[in-house]
Amino acid sequence: MNYADQTRKCFIGMDIGGAYIKAGLVGVDGKIWAQRHQDVQRDDLGSLIRQIVAMANELSLADSALQIMGIGIGFPGLISARDSVISLSPNIPSLNGIHLKEILTDQLGWPAVIENDANVGAYGEMLVGAATSVENFIYISIGTRVGAAIVLNRQIYRGVGGYAGELGHTSVVPDGKACFCGRTGCLESYVSAPSIAQRVEERLTLNPSSALQIITDRPINAQDVSAAASLGDPMAIVIIGEVARYLGIAIANLVDFLNPELVILGGGVIGAGNVLLQLTIEEVRRRVLSPCFEDCQIVCSHLGPSAGVIGASLLARDISLRSHNSG
């Protein structure tokens, strides 16, 4: 079977985040035919599984001419490479120890693939995004949580148990802020979307002239802060500068350690605008060894918020193809 010739065959890709589920009906070429977006039902296992199944079934009906071949899901947690069991799910604790792949394969009737969300984002960028001609790169996703994927010789490096890439829980501040993982000083506590929102909440009353004061009908998000920073708002500039500093520290360590060709920044926080990207690059430049910096580009994701959906579907496609060929 050659999926390149199967133009009416599709896969469903899902990206389950700490706040939302993004899902898409994706062709074998990575083109999205239909999309869905919902708040994630994170508090109850049964509700979450029903939500995943309902979204998948709804997408399967979006175009009756398309044949669904399988589903791939990117998930924010530690997934065992040995048996695909979710070993640790900090954002959705009800999934700890659950064999989600087996449950969904049984309920949907399609082959299911479960993979770490940063890994599927990297997979999408490698096949149809920013890294199509790159051998060695790092993909970093910054949203409700912070994750990373390491790609060496165009293969995702997973580590012995499948848990490599948990950049968000590397320490950047000794004895720093408490992290929900139970430790302190984790990168995620300084650069994630919730940490940016917390900074705004702590400082807004002390900055009555901030442009962010006009937002009263909803919570202020990273996009708002970045937009205010680009307009010269002093408080927003300080907040984005702090995020760039800690993110730059983490990236500089990775670049010196792995000497990659490319670092791709994805996720909702990076999608907030160009200010954070430029400040982060400057922070990396200050901290990294110059030959390593010269070897490496730092860019935003080419696939944007769709990276996880596209990558998950293409991973399901390729695992299905390998299974068919080996059989």
Side-chain angles (χ1 to χ4, degrees), residues 25-76:
L25 186 63
V26 185
V28 297
D29 58 355
K31 178 183 177 181
I32 297 178
W33 291 85
Q35 296 185 76
R36 299 291 184 271
H37 183 278
Q38 295 181 7
D39 293 344
V40 64
Q41 301 293 320
R42 55 185 293 178
D43 296 327
D44 176 73
L45 177 61
S47 296
L48 176 61
I49 291 173
R50 286 191 292 273
Q51 181 183 29
I52 294 170
V53 170
M55 290 181 75
N57 283 329
E58 182 181 351
L59 281 168
S60 74
L61 300 174
D63 188 335
S64 60
L66 298 175
Q67 181 183 359
I68 310 300
M69 304 299 294
I71 181 170
I73 296 178
F75 180 81

Side-chain angles (χ1 to χ4, degrees), residues 194-254:
S195 77
I196 294 173
Q198 182 184 21
R199 280 188 176 90
V200 172
E201 184 178 349
E202 291 170 349
R203 300 175 187 183
L204 196 57
T205 56
L206 301 175
N207 292 270
S209 62
S210 172
L212 294 169
Q213 293 282 359
I214 66 172
I215 301 173
T216 59
D217 59 335
R218 58 174 176 78
I220 294 170
N221 58 37
Q223 286 83 354
D224 300 322
V225 180
S226 181
S230 68
L231 294 173
D233 184 84
M235 186 188 79
I237 290 171
V238 169
I239 291 173
I240 294 297
E242 290 171 350
V243 173
R245 177 171 179 260
Y246 292 114
L247 182 57
I249 289 171
I251 293 174
N253 289 335
L254 289 174

Side-chain angles (χ1 to χ4, degrees), residues 28-301:
V28 297
D29 58 355
K31 178 183 177 181
I32 297 178
W33 291 85
Q35 296 185 76
R36 299 291 184 271
H37 183 278
Q38 295 181 7
D39 293 344
V40 64
Q41 301 293 320
R42 55 185 293 178
D43 296 327
D44 176 73
L45 177 61
S47 296
L48 176 61
I49 291 173
R50 286 191 292 273
Q51 181 183 29
I52 294 170
V53 170
M55 290 181 75
N57 283 329
E58 182 181 351
L59 281 168
S60 74
L61 300 174
D63 188 335
S64 60
L66 298 175
Q67 181 183 359
I68 310 300
M69 304 299 294
I71 181 170
I73 296 178
F75 180 81
L78 304 184
I79 301 169
S80 171
R82 302 176 182 91
D83 54 17
S84 296
V85 166
I86 297 172
S87 301
L88 180 63
S89 171
N91 294 95
I92 310 176
S94 62
L95 283 173
N96 288 342
I98 299 298
H99 201 310
L100 189 60
K101 173 183 174 180
E102 187 176 86
I103 293 171
L104 294 179
T105 297
D106 179 63
Q107 293 204 16
L108 289 168
W110 310 314
V113 174
I114 310 295
E115 179 58 276
N116 175 267
D117 58 345
N119 286 349
V120 298
Y123 201 76
E125 294 289 343
M126 180 172 66
L127 295 188
V128 294
T132 55
S133 60
V134 176
E135 294 291 318
N136 304 288
F137 70 94
I138 299 163
Y139 174 83
I140 302 173
S141 177
I142 309 168
T144 305
R145 65 180 296 273
V146 177
I150 303 164
V151 176
L152 304 175
N153 299 318
R154 296 190 67 78
Q155 298 291 322
I156 294 173
Y157 176 74
R158 291 182 169 83
V160 65
Y163 311 137
E166 287 299 317
L167 182 66
H169 298 289
T170 57
S171 296
V172 292
V173 180
D175 302 318
K177 291 182 181 180
C179 181
F180 72 88
C181 74
R183 296 179 296 175
T184 60
C186 294
L187 177 67
E188 191 166 298
S189 298
Y190 293 87
V191 306
S192 65
S195 77
I196 294 173
Q198 182 184 21
R199 280 188 176 90
V200 172
E201 184 178 349
E202 291 170 349
R203 300 175 187 183
L204 196 57
T205 56
L206 301 175
N207 292 270
S209 62
S210 172
L212 294 169
Q213 293 282 359
I214 66 172
I215 301 173
T216 59
D217 59 335
R218 58 174 176 78
I220 294 170
N221 58 37
Q223 286 83 354
D224 300 322
V225 180
S226 181
S230 68
L231 294 173
D233 184 84
M235 186 188 79
I237 290 171
V238 169
I239 291 173
I240 294 297
E242 290 171 350
V243 173
R245 177 171 179 260
Y246 292 114
L247 182 57
I249 289 171
I251 293 174
N253 289 335
L254 289 174
V255 171
D256 274 341
F257 188 66
L258 293 172
N259 189 206
E261 301 166 62
L262 182 68
V263 174
I264 302 171
L265 304 180
V269 169
I270 293 300
N274 196 48
V275 177
L276 177 57
L277 174 66
Q278 295 306 318
L279 289 175
T280 300
I281 291 172
E282 288 306 310
E283 188 68 33
V284 175
R285 186 195 304 272
R286 283 194 292 270
R287 292 180 177 275
V288 82
L289 294 172
S290 57
C292 294
F293 184 82
E294 291 167 6
D295 279 346
C296 182
Q297 280 189 296
I298 302 173
V299 302
C300 287
S301 161

